[in-house]
């Protein structure tokens, strides 16, 4: 994504880009309120909104690939509600009757990655987009499967769609080249 934005900005110095980085639900609410022209976000499980860009397996991730359990409780590093990965993690643990404890909550990925890389706990995250210092946990019978996430684009129907189309086409091309869409589960 960094390369896409950098190239777009270099090619269009006359365009002022305003970025908002937030949880997917917050972004879609802002989009619905007319505050954003385009959103790249995660889609809620069983949702159908937005155009699919790519799908990825959600994995448990930790600092050392070892699952983090203390006193037989999964130690979790999670976004606050209404996070999709939080929902997926807690739902999977509850369905599997795995005891859990939220060891850290952070509203941004840097905080989650820092806590996870320090060994505070495990995070649920897209397997192909794991932050530095974090790796997928080794298989462990105590950890339930988390399923897959879908990343989608929402685009405003604007009169002059040239720049929106160029940006969304670049995002789709990057995803197609680097993060091939696996078959639907």
């Amino acid at each position: 994504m960094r390369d896409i934005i950098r190239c777009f900005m270099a090619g269009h110095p006359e365009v002022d880009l305003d970025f908002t980085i937030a949880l997917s639900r917050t972004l879609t609410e802002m989009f619905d309120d007319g505050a954003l022209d385009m959103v790249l976000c995660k889609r809620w499980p069983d949702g159908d909104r937005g155009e699919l860009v790519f799908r990825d397996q959600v994995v448990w991730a930790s600092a050392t690939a070892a699952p983090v359990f203390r006193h037989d409780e999964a130690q979790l590093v999670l976004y606050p509600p209404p996070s999709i990965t939080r929902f997926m993690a807690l739902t999977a643990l509850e369905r599997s009757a795995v005891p859990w404890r939220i060891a850290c909550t952070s509203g941004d990925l840097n905080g989650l990655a820092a806590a996870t890389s320090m060994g505070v706990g495990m995070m649920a995250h897209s397997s192909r987009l794991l932050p530095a210092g974090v790796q997928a946990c080794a298989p462990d019978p105590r950890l339930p499967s988390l399923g897959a996430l879908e990343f989608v684009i929402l685009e405003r129907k604007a009169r002059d769609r040239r720049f929106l189309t160029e940006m969304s086409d670049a995002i789709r091309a990057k995803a197609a080249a680097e993060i091939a869409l696996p078959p639907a589960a």
Side-chain angles (χ1 to χ4, degrees):
M1 187 65 151
R2 191 174 29 235
D3 297 339
I4 294 168
I5 302 303
R6 190 176 296 128
C7 288
F8 184 87
M9 290 175 67
H12 303 289
E14 73 283 7
V15 175
D16 291 325
L17 292 179
D18 294 325
F19 287 92
T20 302
I21 299 171
L23 294 175
S24 294
R25 180 169 288 169
T26 302
L27 293 173
T28 57
E29 288 170 357
M30 292 176 70
F31 179 82
D32 290 343
D33 290 342
L36 301 174
D37 293 324
M38 181 172 55
V39 171
L40 176 63
C41 64
K42 299 169 189 166
R43 178 164 40 199
W44 278 87
D46 299 324
D48 61 358
R49 189 159 182 208
E51 180 186 338
L52 180 64
V53 176
F54 69 96
R55 184 180 297 109
D56 194 16
Q57 186 65 36
V58 179
V59 296
W60 296 103
S62 67
T64 65
V68 182
F69 281 84
R70 290 194 185 91
H71 311 293
D72 291 326
E73 289 181 322
Q75 301 296 298
L76 306 177
V77 176
L78 301 172
Y79 284 115
S83 159
I84 295 170
T85 52
R86 177 190 180 102
F87 170 79
M88 293 173 79
L90 296 180
T91 299
L93 291 168
E94 288 293 326
R95 282 186 185 147
S96 298
V98 175
W100 53 270
R101 174 182 168 273
I102 298 175
C104 177
T105 300
S106 177
D108 65 61
L109 181 57
N110 287 335
L112 294 178
T116 303
S117 68
M118 289 186 285
V120 171
M122 301 174 285
M123 62 191 290
H125 201 275
S126 165
S127 67
R128 293 186 181 113
L129 302 174
L130 288 171
V134 174
Q135 54 191 297
C137 289
D140 186 295
R142 298 172 292 179
L143 292 178
S145 173
L146 293 167
L149 267 177
E150 294 182 337
F151 291 81
V152 298
I153 290 180
L154 304 174
E155 288 184 73
R156 180 136 338 275
K157 304 296 184 219
R159 283 190 314 245
D160 183 5
R161 296 189 35 80
R162 182 178 66 152
F163 296 124
L164 283 176
T165 299
E166 188 174 329
M167 178 70 78
S168 61
D169 286 350
I171 292 168
R172 285 182 198 89
K174 180 83 167 174
E178 295 186 10
I179 308 172
L181 279 171

